[in-house]
Amino acid sequence: MKALIVGAAGFVGGHLIEELSVRCGWEVAATKLRGERVSRACCGAFDVDILDEDAVRGVMERVKPDIVYHLVAQSSVALSWEKPALTVEVNIKGSVNVLEAARKSGVGVRVVLIGSGEEYGNVREEDCPIKETLEAKPQSVYAVTKSAQNQLGRLYAASYGMDIVMTRSFNHIGVGQPARFVAADLCEQAAEIAAGKREGAINVGNMDVRRDFTDVRDVVRSYRLLGEKGKSGETYNVGSGRAVAIREIADAVIKASGKEMGVKVDEKRLRPVDAPVICADIGKIQRETGWKAEIPLERTLQEIYEWFLRKAMSEG
Ligand code: A2R
């Protein structure tokens, strides 16, 4: 199997290369932005700005993949409010460029579009666990762009008979994730306190909200399985199917540190609207691919914490 990962230099890209190339022996080519680096497990790396239609088409013609994983995104919800036009451009126009390149290649390449659990919006408690059939009501610029990508994927599959599989991926966590995400943020703060780089407690936002967390290695395994077994034109939730309170994440991180640490609610971290619980129904992906998340949350948090601790110690 030959895969092209578009946007392979980000958090998920490195783990997906590992899964496809190292664990499963696929031939993997990758695109990145100029100046970014990708794993050496790739058989080829190409500098491609997703907004350059010709470049996207060129790499598709050169690599001739069986399957394309489209990971490129402006992936920050917060930045999507500050830079809505950029987010719309990269996430929607970029996806169109990938779909058009696949369409024009004329060889029936499979395209996997990575969407987000954010597409559902601030769901009501009674709608959890969320099924793929729930109406998407996106509540951020980022979520609107991912929902648009999903609709474009369905449109291209139905109108052109293209082979397109879509995900709605819930919170995924692991080593290498930037600290703007909650698990990485709590681990980084705990590591800095443990390393003596700062004093005080771990600052948190709303501790009671419950979210669905999955180790990124499980997530990329689901992407491989969806590439192999997903049905064209269909959307699949990717999550653990379990809602965990931020309070439990903080407790597990403190336990991982082996130290006494407090937590303090920081008003600035509270969001104006926060759904009390967001949790995926994963019946569809389980039935159709056999996938389910396997790595325990505590293990993932321990690894992320230790990664930040090594970083804090090495920075002195
Ligand atoms: O923003 P950067 O410099 O970190 O680069 C990101 C890259 N990217 C682009 N690549 C080509 N042309 C562009 N115009 C462009 N703008 C951004 O896409 C980064 O290297 C990559 C996306 O990686 P991350 O932001 O680390 O996202 P992650 O966590 O790997 O998520 C993969 C997918 C995304 O579609 C998310 O929205 C979804 O999974 O959750």
Side-chain angles (χ1 to χ4, degrees):
M1 187 76 104
K2 192 197 274 187
L4 173 65
I5 303 176
V6 185
F11 167 55
V12 175
H15 292 281
L16 185 56
I17 293 169
E18 190 77 13
E19 169 69 19
L20 301 182
S21 170
V22 180
R23 264 181 237 116
C24 298
W26 291 22
E27 196 179 328
V28 177
T31 80
K32 62 183 187 67
L33 282 172
R34 195 182 304 273
E36 285 184 323
R37 302 184 72 149
V38 292
S39 150
R40 273 185 273 165
C42 291
C43 63
F46 303 86
D47 288 346
V48 174
D49 184 326
I50 202 77
L51 298 176
D52 181 344
E53 211 179 316
D54 294 337
V56 179
R57 194 154 168 213
V59 75
M60 201 84 86
E61 278 168 9
R62 189 143 168 215
V63 174
K64 296 192 174 40
D66 304 305
I67 181 161
V68 175
Y69 286 94
H70 174 40
L71 301 184
V72 167
Q74 190 303 94
S75 61
S76 157
V77 172
L79 195 64
S80 79
W81 290 111
E82 287 163 32
K83 299 196 167 175
L86 173 83
T87 306
V88 164
E89 261 224 313
V90 171
N91 295 7
I92 303 182
K93 190 173 173 219
S95 299
V96 169
N97 286 347
V98 171
L99 289 169
E100 280 293 301
R103 182 172 78 84
K104 288 173 182 159
S105 74
V107 291
V109 56
R110 165 158 279 206
V111 180
V112 180
L113 297 175
I114 308 303
S116 170
E118 296 273 341
E119 291 171 48
Y120 294 110
N122 290 321
V123 293
R124 296 173 308 173
E125 214 157 339
E126 56 267 36
D127 289 326
C128 286
I130 305 164
K131 284 197 161 58
E132 290 84 349
T133 46
L134 186 75
E135 187 192 352
K137 288 186 183 161
Q139 302 284 333
S140 67
V141 175
Y142 170 77
V144 166
T145 63
K146 286 291 176 177
S147 187
Q149 173 187 266
N150 180 274
Q151 291 178 54
L152 285 162
R154 280 193 292 155
L155 181 71
Y156 271 64
S159 310
Y160 298 122
M162 285 173 63
D163 187 1
I164 302 167
V165 175
M166 289 148 286
T167 79
R168 288 203 183 113
S169 312
F170 288 67
N171 306 56
H172 33 293
I173 60 172
V175 167
Q177 188 173 38
R180 66 170 188 266
F181 295 92
V182 66
D185 176 27
L186 300 185
C187 287
E188 184 179 45
Q189 291 190 58
E192 285 179 351
I193 294 168
K197 288 187 81 177
R198 73 170 179 85
E199 293 184 341
I202 301 176
N203 293 311
V204 292
N206 188 341
M207 299 267 279
D208 296 320
V209 294
R210 292 187 292 140
R211 295 291 181 264
D212 184 328
F213 295 92
T214 308
D215 188 294
V216 66
R217 292 164 292 188
D218 276 325
V219 170
V220 295
R221 191 166 50 78
S222 84
Y223 293 171
R224 172 178 58 79
L225 286 165
L226 286 171
E228 290 171 339
K229 300 180 180 174
K231 289 198 187 121
S232 184
E234 293 290 324
T235 298
Y236 296 85
N237 284 341
V238 174
S240 70
R242 194 166 73 94
V244 176
I246 304 303
R247 183 182 307 282
E248 293 173 65
I249 300 279
D251 288 346
V253 170
I254 293 170
K255 191 161 170 227
S257 79
K259 309 248 186 240
E260 298 271 312
M261 274 179 216
V263 289
K264 182 166 155 272
V265 175
D266 173 4
E267 298 290 318
K268 290 199 290 291
R269 289 168 187 255
L270 296 174
R271 295 190 179 170
V273 190
D274 229 350
V277 51
I278 296 181
C279 176
D281 182 306
I282 50 168
K284 185 173 176 180
I285 191 170
Q286 273 184 336
R287 276 191 308 279
E288 297 188 21
T289 72
W291 177 84
K292 73 171 183 354
E294 285 168 359
I295 303 171
L297 184 57
E298 294 70 22
R299 188 174 125 202
T300 310
L301 292 170
Q302 182 85 43
E303 289 174 6
I304 304 172
Y305 168 78
E306 281 168 9
W307 186 77
F308 276 113
L309 185 63
R310 279 196 299 278
K311 190 161 167 268
M313 303 290 250
S314 69
E315 285 165 358

